[in-house]
Structures are given as structure tokens and as C-alpha cells.
Amino acid sequence: MPSPTSENQAPSRLGPLSPAMQLHPPPSPGIHRTLRRLQSAHSLGAKAAAQPSLISQQRLQLQQQQHQFQNLNQHLQKHPPAPAPRSHASVNRSPQRARANSDAPPIPNVSPVQPTTHATMTAATATRRSALSKRSLAADAMSLERLLREGPPNGDIEGALESTRLKILDQGIRSDSDGMSSLRIYVWLILLNAPMLDTDSYLALIHRGASPAYSKIRNDTFRTLSTDPLFRRRVSEASLIRLLNAFAWTLHDAREVRTRDPSVASSTRHSLDQSSSRPGTGYGSDYGSPASSPTAKRARALTLTTEGSVTSVTAEAGTYVQGMNVLAAPFLYAARSEAEAYVAFHQLLTKECPGYIRGAMDGVHKGLALVDKVLAIVDPKLSMHLLSKNLSAEIYAFPSVLTLCACTPPLPEVLRLWDFLFAYGPHLNILCIVAQLVMIRTKIMGSASPNKLLRSFPALQADQIKHTTLAIIRMIPDDVYAEIVAHAR
């Protein structure tokens, strides 16, 4: 259908004009651009005068809903209804979109009425707008530096957290060209709800010596971001070994707690168990002898392979999973001490993504299946093209799911993307991977061998990935989004 502002449609849209509003012909009969612009402007102006703007309609609708909600609350306070049994419809109702452990809890319903009533439906509508309603105006007026230094104004922790998330989404965390920031690690610790850890507790883990997974750790750490000069200049392999070895001890101790009397546990294990009530365990992957040639080392430096990702589950559980070294790298780069990096790393894997290191990494494989499902919803044509080439997410997206995209350079962009993931939930990494596929859609569709293109993803562009992810969220059904939230638990 032609545009309503095109030349052949504009006269019928304008209708009769008053003498004062007659359109005068342009100075030259050969120039039609001016006439079309005047006709289009008049058409839009007449249409705008005939009906209120979208903003006005939204304001009017919001005022009406708020007025109805207030009247209903007043009525319920005077005449509280008797509680009714849960109906079959309420049990099968689509779940509300959950939030990560690092997120604030949802606003409770203000009314005892059942979910099928108008009161709770209105409350659910208000909950979906909670991102704005929970904001603290006092925290909004403060800079991120001041907010971290002085704490939440008036003790409003929930409002300050929401304001912090919106600041990260809108402005980001201020950093230099290398991605270094004096605030980032503290913002991460707050968003991950990481507990305080005594440095002596971390040192006690170090002094215990080599863990059962020490040989596997040493077989992996030397190639962690080995071609990234920023990482190599700031983080030593020794610090990476110490952090991973300490974490392996905590997983080893947590496994023993479940098989023996907790009273025999060491004091170090007791102090760490208080900070993590649900530790995870994982099955390690034997890599064999390390790659000998420099070419092989460079090939595996910034992008993990899927070697060992699908292994047979043995009877004896391990304490180290391939990819932990890459997950630990950004924490060590951003932190000001190993203890800070350790507690943030520990909180991420044991609270936010325990499924990634438990069993046969079931959480990772659930995430890969969700990448395929979300891509089929967002871009069916691209999804069918990849599947026709026998390219499922299990083949090309395993490293990105397991490492929260930390396997893709450059490192400063990884840090900016993690700011977004920790603010709104690491589960959004699934959508970020789909966003990267959508961003290179033209290259994938035009490539005769997409496998070569997807063997290593293009360089991260954190801002563009965030914007594309926010657009994808609106296209995801609530039940699929609930799977995304819970896949790593």
C-alpha cells in the first residue's frame, strides 16, 4: 500500500481547505518537492489536531488505572473479601517474569483477592512497571561514585539498587580505555550480593596447597587470554592458579559436607559455607597433555573449544570444569585484590550459575537449547538457515554460554557487558548471544560455510549488544523467559 504522504494520495487526505489555508503552487512548475512537503505537513497537522498524541493517551490511561486502583484499595480496606480457594485458571496462569538472585524481590500484592480478580490484575500491571516505581529520586540525583561512598539515601536499599541498575544501563560505569575502573568491582560485589570475606579465610585456602583439581587447573591457566596484552600485563598466571585452586578446595569441602558429619569440617570450610548456602560441584574434563606448538596455544587463547564439554559422567565428581579459568579472568582484572575477585567469582558460580558447574554441566546445555529456541522466535529464517547447515547452538555457542561471553575479545567490552549482566541477571547472556547472531545476520546468510564464521564470534560491541538484547526481550513469551531465568540454577 502506498504511503499516505505520497503524491497520489495526499490530495484525498487533505480534503477541502479554507481560503486562508489554501496551498500555493511552488514558484517553479518543475519542482514538486516543496509541494509534497507542504501537503505532508498539513496532513500530519490535521491528523494530530483530530486526535490526542500517543503520550497524551498513555498519560490519560495511566491516570485512569491509578484512579481505579486507589478506589479499589479504599473499598477493600472498608470491605475486605473472604479468601477464596485457588482456581484451576490461576494455577495454569503464565508465570511472571522472574529476576536473578542479584535482583530485588518483586513487590508483594497489596490485596488478598485471588489472582483472577481485577485487583490483582491491576497489581500485576503495576508490578510490570516496578523498574520505574521502585526508583529512589534521591539516589537518582546522586552520582554512582557518591551513591557507593555514602550508601542508599534514607536507608532505601531497594530504590538505590534500582537507581544503580538504571545508571549502569543508561550511563555505564566510568572507566578508561583499558576498562579499568576503581568502582567496578564494588558495583559487581553489590549487585551479586556477595558477602564479606576475611582475607585470612582466603589465605587459609591458599596455604592448604594443591587441590585434587590442581593438575587440571595448571593445564588450563597458561592459555587463559594468552594473546590479550591488557590481561597479561595486569594478571599473572600465579594469581589465576591460586584463585581457581582455592575455589576447587571449597567445592571439594562442600561435597564432603554432604557425605560426612558437618562437625568434622574445618573452620575455613565453616566460614565459607556461611557465605554460600548452595555450593555447586562439577565433573572435570581431562585435557590430556597440553598443546605443544605455539600455534595451537594461540588458537585456544581467546576462544574456548568444546573439547571435553560433552564427557561421560564418572562416578567420582570433580571440582574443576573447563571454562572456569576464563570466567575468573575478568574478576581478577577488575578487582583490586585476589580476595575480592575470589568472593565475586564464588558468588557467581554458587548462587547465580550453579548449574554450569554441577553434574554434566546441565545448566550450560539448557542454555544452549534456549539459544536455539530464542533464535527461532526472534529470527526464524536465520534459525532455519543455521539448522540446514547442521549448526545448532551446541556447536558454536558453547564457549559463549559457559563463560558469559568472556571468551570473545576485547576485554574492556567484556567488562561493560558484564556490568549489564550483573545489574539485570546473568541469565540475559542467552539473549546477548542471540543478539550477536542477529548483528551479523547478513554475513551468516551470505556465507557458504557459516561454521567458519561462527568458529570465533566477531569482537564484542557491548553497547550495541545491550540495545539489541533489549529489543529481543520484548519478543520473548513469558514462559520462555521464565526458562531463561531458571536455566542456570
Side-chain angles (χ1 to χ4, degrees):
M1 180 181 293
S3 171
T5 59
S6 62
E7 187 176 359
N8 59 345
Q9 292 290 332
S12 62
R13 293 269 184 174
L14 292 174
L17 303 175
S18 63
M21 297 176 61
Q22 289 294 334
L23 298 174
H24 299 285
S28 173
I31 301 177
H32 301 285
R33 183 175 300 173
T34 304
L35 178 59
R36 288 198 300 269
R37 186 184 303 120
L38 290 172
Q39 292 173 338
S40 177
H42 178 81
S43 178
L44 291 174
K47 192 179 298 183
Q51 61 181 4
S53 64
L54 290 176
I55 296 178
S56 301
Q57 295 178 27
Q58 291 175 354
R59 287 177 178 173
L60 180 60
Q61 184 179 6
L62 180 60
Q63 291 175 358
Q64 292 175 351
Q65 291 178 352
Q66 291 176 347
H67 182 68
Q68 294 175 357
F69 191 63
Q70 291 174 357
N71 291 341
L72 189 56
N73 279 339
Q74 294 176 359
H75 175 75
L76 291 173
Q77 291 176 0
K78 295 180 179 179
H79 308 284
R86 294 183 62 182
S87 63
H88 181 73
S90 65
V91 174
N92 295 330
R93 189 171 53 118
S94 298
Q96 296 294 327
R97 294 196 171 185
R99 308 185 71 130
N101 284 344
S102 59
D103 240 343
I107 297 178
N109 290 337
V110 297
S111 151
V113 188
Q114 293 303 309
T116 53
T117 63
H118 177 73
T120 308
M121 292 170 60
T122 311
T125 304
T127 302
R128 283 191 287 268
R129 295 192 226 102
S130 60
L132 296 179
S133 62
K134 291 188 295 185
R135 291 171 60 183
S136 169
L137 297 179
D140 286 347
M142 302 168 64
S143 65
L144 190 58
E145 294 85 348
R146 183 184 170 193
L147 187 59
L148 263 65
R149 184 175 62 251
E150 299 181 5
N154 304 322
D156 185 6
I157 298 177
E158 187 177 0
L161 281 174
E162 195 60 48
S163 297
T164 300
R165 294 186 180 98
L166 293 173
K167 289 178 187 294
I168 292 174
L169 182 63
D170 183 41
Q171 308 165 10
I173 297 177
R174 186 181 303 174
S175 59
D176 58 21
S177 59
D178 293 343
M180 298 305 301
S181 170
S182 59
L183 296 176
R184 174 167 280 122
I185 186 60
Y186 301 111
V187 174
W188 286 2
L189 290 170
I190 292 172
L191 294 174
L192 290 171
N193 196 23
M196 297 294 294
L197 176 68
D198 187 5
T199 305
D200 291 339
S201 299
Y202 177 70
L203 293 176
L205 292 170
I206 301 300
H207 292 158
R208 290 172 66 176
S211 69
Y214 181 74
S215 61
K216 297 179 181 179
I217 292 172
R218 288 300 304 269
N219 195 33
D220 229 17
T221 52
F222 74 93
R223 56 184 169 225
T224 304
L225 308 186
S226 60
T227 61
D228 193 315
L230 295 177
F231 179 76
R232 284 299 176 185
R233 187 170 62 224
R234 179 170 174 82
V235 181
S236 66
E237 183 183 358
S239 63
L240 185 60
I241 292 172
R242 285 193 296 267
L243 186 147
L244 293 174
N245 192 69
F247 185 68
W249 272 124
T250 62
L251 296 184
H252 174 79
D253 292 346
R255 183 182 56 184
E256 288 189 346
V257 167
R258 292 191 295 270
T259 58
R260 300 194 310 181
D261 191 332
S263 62
V264 303
S266 64
S267 59
T268 302
R269 179 178 64 203
H270 177 70
S271 64
L272 290 172
D273 286 343
Q274 290 179 339
S275 66
S276 176
S277 59
R278 193 177 60 177
T281 60
Y283 289 91
S285 303
D286 267 320
Y287 301 111
S289 59
S292 56
S293 65
T295 303
K297 294 179 182 179
R298 285 194 297 270
R300 298 192 61 178
L302 290 174
T303 305
L304 290 173
T305 66
T306 56
E307 176 188 355
S309 61
V310 185
T311 58
S312 59
V313 180
T314 60
E316 179 65 21
T319 56
Y320 181 79
V321 174
Q322 182 186 19
M324 282 187 183
N325 57 317
V326 181
L327 271 173
F331 288 113
L332 285 169
Y333 185 82
R336 307 182 74 174
S337 70
E338 284 183 27
E340 288 178 344
Y342 169 79
V343 70
F345 176 74
H346 184 276
Q347 189 75 0
L348 173 67
L349 289 184
T350 59
K351 290 294 185 180
E352 298 291 345
C353 306
Y356 284 9
I357 60 173
R358 184 175 56 236
M361 293 185 284
D362 294 335
V364 178
H365 295 289
K366 289 179 182 178
L368 293 169
L370 285 169
V371 171
D372 287 330
K373 180 182 289 189
V374 172
L375 183 61
I377 296 172
V378 173
D379 196 333
K381 188 175 181 180
L382 178 59
S383 175
M384 291 298 297
H385 178 71
L386 290 176
L387 293 178
S388 68
K389 304 291 184 179
N390 295 322
L391 286 177
S392 64
E394 288 273 357
I395 297 176
Y396 61 82
F398 186 92
S400 297
V401 173
L402 177 61
T403 66
L404 303 183
C405 292
C407 60
T408 307
L411 185 55
E413 293 297 312
V414 172
L415 301 179
R416 295 186 183 97
L417 183 62
W418 277 25
D419 295 339
F420 170 68
L421 293 180
F422 293 161
Y424 290 96
H427 59 272
L428 290 180
N429 179 54
I430 301 299
L431 303 184
C432 290
I433 296 172
V434 175
Q436 293 176 73
L437 296 174
V438 172
M439 288 164 55
I440 58 173
R441 181 183 192 277
T442 303
K443 293 182 179 179
I444 295 176
M445 298 295 292
S447 175
S449 179
N451 187 30
K452 295 181 180 179
L453 181 64
L454 297 177
R455 191 169 297 166
S456 60
F457 277 48
L460 283 182
Q461 303 177 46
D463 289 338
Q464 188 173 354
I465 291 174
K466 287 190 295 185
H467 294 157
T468 308
T469 299
L470 293 176
I472 290 175
I473 290 177
R474 302 185 182 95
M475 307 170 64
I476 305 301
D478 287 347
D479 56 340
V480 177
Y481 191 87
E483 293 182 45
I484 295 173
V485 172
H487 82 277
R489 303 296 172 79

